[in-house]
Amino acid sequence: MKDDQLKKIIQKSTIETSDDFLNNLMHTIENQKNVKKSSLWWSFKSVLIACTLLVTGITFLTFIYLGNTTGSISFEIPKTPIFIIITTLLLLAVNHVIRVNENYGKIAN
Amino acid sequence: MKSNPLSEDYELIRKINEGDATAFRQLVYKHKDVSLSLAQSILKDAVIAEDVLQDVFIKVYRKLNTFKFKASFSTWLYRIVVNTSYNELKKRKQNISVDAIDDTFNITSEKKDLMEEQDQRKYINLALQKLRPDEALLLRLFYLCELSIKEIEVITSFKPSKIKVDLHRGRENIGFHLKQLLGKDLKQLL
C-alpha cells in the first residue's frame, strides 16, 4: 500500500468521544474545585476550634494562677495533665488538617 | 484566511489561565477526538480509553499553568495521553489478544457496493485494533497527527530506530488486516 493511500485511510480512523464526554469532564472539574474549597474551609475550622480550646485553657490557667497569687483561691494547678491535654488537642487538630489535605490530594489525583 | 492552530491554542490557554472556563471547553473540544484515537490505539477499549482521557484532561487543567509556550500544546497533550494510557495498560496488565477482538462485523453485499463513511471507519479501526499498541499508536501519530519522527520521539520517548521499524511493520500489518477484512473492497477505502 502506498504512503499517501495509507495516510488517507488512517485519517478516516478518528474516533469520536461520547456525547456527554465534555459535560461530564466539566462537571468533574467543577466538583474537584468545590472539594478543594470545602477542604480549605474545614482546615480553617479545625484550626479555629484548636485555637479556641487553647485560648480557653490558657485563660483558665491564668485565671487560677492570678487567683492563687492573690490568695483568694487556694488551688493546686495540675500542670502536667493540662499540658498533656492541650498538646494532645493541638496535635489532633494538626493531624486532622493534614489528613483533610491528603484526602483532597487523593481526590484531585 | 485560516488562523494558525498553534496561536489559537496559546490564546485559549492564556484565557484559561485567566479563569475562563469556556476556553477550556473549547480546547478540549478541539483535541478530544484525536486524543481518544491515540488512547484507543494503546488500550484497545473505547470505554477505558474515554475514562483515561477524562483523567488526562483533568491533569491538563491542573497543570496548564505550568505549560511553557515554547512547544505546541498538542505535542504536550499527546505526551500526557500516551504516558497515561501506557500506565493504565500496565496497571490493568491487559494482554490483549488479537483473537479476542470482535471481528464479526460482516460485510453484506449491499454494504460492499456502497460503504458508508461510518462503516469505513469501523473497518479501519478493526484493523488498527489487531495491531500491537505501539504500531497502532505510531501509525496514528505519523499519519493522523502528521507528526515528524522527531516529534513522535518527544511524545513517546521511543528511539527513532524503533519508531521507523514499528512504522514499517505497522504499514505492512494494517495492509494485511484490511485485505483480510475487505478483500477486493479495499479499493473503496482508497
Side-chain angles (χ1 to χ4, degrees):
Chain A
M1 198 181 293
K2 285 178 189 170
D3 223 36
D4 55 333
Q5 288 176 328
L6 187 57
K7 187 176 172 178
K8 210 175 145 188
I9 288 172
I10 300 290
Q11 287 191 336
K12 286 179 188 172
S13 76
T14 314
I15 303 160
E16 286 170 20
T17 57
S18 57
D19 295 339
D20 51 356
F21 174 80
L22 205 51
N23 288 335
N24 283 346
L25 176 70
M26 297 311 287
H27 187 69
T28 312
I29 288 172
E30 275 306 308
N31 279 351
Q32 289 201 353
K33 271 192 211 168
N34 291 338
V35 169
K36 191 180 181 181
K37 275 179 197 164
S38 77
S39 76
L40 283 172
W41 167 238
W42 277 103
S43 304
F44 175 72
K45 260 171 90 172
S46 315
V47 172
L48 199 72
I49 291 164
C51 287
T52 310
L53 286 171
L54 206 66
V55 168
T56 313
I58 289 167
T59 311
F60 176 70
L61 285 175
T62 315
F63 175 76
I64 289 173
Y65 175 73
L66 288 173
N68 202 20
T69 50
T70 54
S72 59
I73 302 170
S74 131
F75 181 71
E76 190 69 30
I77 306 168
K79 285 176 194 163
T80 312
I82 287 173
F83 176 75
I84 289 168
I85 290 166
I86 290 170
T87 312
T88 312
L89 283 173
L90 194 67
L91 285 174
L92 280 173
V94 171
N95 179 46
H96 180 73
V97 171
I98 293 168
R99 210 149 21 105
V100 167
N101 283 338
E102 272 179 0
N103 286 344
Y104 169 69
K106 274 178 200 164
I107 293 164
N109 284 328
Chain B
M1 200 174 73
K2 208 178 172 184
S3 59
N4 180 5
L6 200 70
S7 60
E8 236 176 64
D9 284 348
Y10 284 179
E11 192 52 42
L12 286 172
I13 295 165
R14 278 195 194 96
K15 281 183 184 172
I16 297 161
N17 287 338
E18 284 164 13
D20 186 347
T22 52
F24 184 68
R25 212 183 165 90
Q26 279 175 271
L27 193 71
V28 174
Y29 187 80
K30 195 176 161 193
H31 294 280
K32 67 183 174 64
D33 292 339
V34 174
S35 302
L36 181 67
S37 306
L38 295 179
Q40 162 87 357
S41 304
I42 298 164
L43 294 157
K44 313 282 183 194
D45 184 307
V47 178
I48 300 170
E50 203 167 292
D51 285 347
V52 164
L53 200 62
Q54 281 258 349
D55 293 342
V56 166
F57 280 119
I58 290 167
K59 267 186 206 170
V60 167
Y61 186 77
R62 283 172 45 225
K63 303 272 178 189
L64 209 55
N65 54 351
T66 65
F67 175 75
K68 287 167 188 148
F69 293 84
K70 286 174 188 168
S72 88
F73 170 73
S74 56
T75 306
W76 187 71
L77 170 68
Y78 297 158
R79 196 178 155 84
I80 300 174
V81 172
V82 168
N83 286 341
T84 315
S85 301
Y86 274 116
N87 285 343
E88 184 65 26
L89 191 66
K90 262 187 219 165
K91 222 191 284 174
R92 289 175 180 267
K93 292 185 179 169
Q94 235 177 7
N95 294 318
I96 294 152
S97 158
V98 287
D99 301 326
I101 294 162
D102 177 31
D103 55 357
T104 54
F105 187 68
N106 295 320
I107 312 166
T108 62
S109 55
E110 231 175 282
K111 277 179 184 166
K112 273 185 179 177
D113 293 339
L114 188 69
M115 214 196 298
E116 285 177 13
E117 200 180 315
Q118 210 179 342
D119 298 326
Q120 289 185 359
R121 189 184 299 165
K122 207 162 182 175
Y123 286 120
I124 297 164
N125 280 311
L126 213 54
L128 278 166
Q129 289 234 38
K130 286 175 176 278
L131 302 187
R132 282 174 44 236
D134 292 357
E135 290 172 6
L137 173 71
L138 291 173
L139 282 178
R140 275 196 166 119
L141 285 170
F142 193 75
Y143 292 110
L144 179 65
C145 307
E146 296 183 78
L147 298 174
S148 65
I149 301 285
K150 190 87 192 156
E151 286 168 311
I152 295 174
E153 192 188 344
V154 172
I155 292 167
T156 59
S157 307
F158 292 161
K159 286 179 183 170
S161 55
K162 177 186 165 52
I163 296 171
K164 285 172 192 164
V165 169
D166 278 358
L167 265 176
H168 178 72
R169 281 185 191 149
R171 278 183 206 116
E172 284 186 344
N173 289 338
I174 196 162
F176 170 78
H177 290 301
L178 281 172
K179 266 179 206 161
Q180 261 203 337
L181 280 167
L182 294 166
K184 286 176 187 173
D185 297 301
L186 179 61
K187 281 177 193 167
Q188 286 192 41
L189 288 180
L190 308 174

